[in-house]
Amino acid sequence: MTPLEADLVRRKLIVIVTNLQDLAAVEDLALEEYRRDRFRLKGTERLLQEVVEAASDVNVHVLASLGGQPPQDYYEGFVEMGRRGPLPEELAESLAPSAGLRNRIVHEYDDIDDAIVLGAVGEARRLFPRYVAAIEGFLEDRGL
């Protein structure tokens, strides 16, 4: 079991919150307007990627502090956070598929569907604030 480093976790949560705030700029765009600017597309993809990666880093760290094997992948990290209790299970299961979008973006599997990415912005802005709140609650419950 490794000690839980609250400062590290909170730095990652700040990345999530900041990126979600930045993503608000594209959340309500029509698909055609979103597609007009390649920098906006790539910026959106990068911000989403960083949200998922920051959460995944938190997942690994929190799970290690609880004692256990590290998750095999980002998807399993979310699922295990639900199983082990730091996240509500329904939230963990809702967040787990974000790992697949992150993998598509990073590894450029197939063509990235702009409509899916744009839709993921709203989903991220709806779900990840709940993630941040759950992790803050987890830290507070431990007096951190």
Side-chain angles (χ1 to χ4, degrees):
M1 187 179 300
T2 64
L4 183 60
E5 296 179 42
D7 289 344
L8 170 83
V9 170
R10 287 196 171 100
R11 281 195 310 272
K12 297 294 182 175
L13 296 180
I14 289 169
V15 169
I16 294 169
V17 170
T18 301
N19 285 13
L20 293 175
Q21 290 168 345
D22 292 343
L23 286 165
V26 299
E27 183 176 15
D28 295 325
L29 291 179
L31 183 57
E32 289 310 311
E33 184 178 357
Y34 171 70
R35 286 180 169 155
R36 281 189 205 130
D37 183 348
R38 181 168 161 73
F39 282 98
R40 182 176 12 222
L41 265 73
K42 292 300 182 184
T44 299
E45 291 171 7
R46 179 67 175 151
L47 289 169
L48 285 169
Q49 173 191 337
E50 288 180 353
V51 166
V52 176
E53 289 176 350
S56 295
D57 289 348
V58 169
N59 294 347
V60 167
H61 188 66
V62 167
L63 291 169
S65 78
L66 295 173
Q69 296 299 317
Q72 294 178 3
D73 55 34
Y74 287 174
Y75 185 98
E76 186 61 31
F78 285 109
V79 172
E80 192 62 21
M81 288 286 281
R83 282 188 199 130
R84 300 290 304 272
L87 295 178
E89 282 192 67
E90 62 82 17
L91 176 60
E93 290 171 12
S94 295
L95 287 169
S98 67
L101 177 63
R102 177 259 174 209
N103 290 342
R104 278 194 174 83
I105 291 169
V106 170
H107 302 295
E108 297 181 353
Y109 297 145
D110 305 319
D111 288 329
I112 296 172
D113 186 328
D114 297 334
I116 290 174
V117 173
L118 189 56
V121 169
E123 187 81 353
R125 286 188 34 84
R126 183 176 64 79
L127 293 175
F128 277 99
R130 292 176 54 206
Y131 174 89
V132 170
I135 298 301
E136 279 293 349
F138 175 81
L139 293 175
E140 289 171 13
D141 288 347
R142 277 147 188 77
L144 300 172

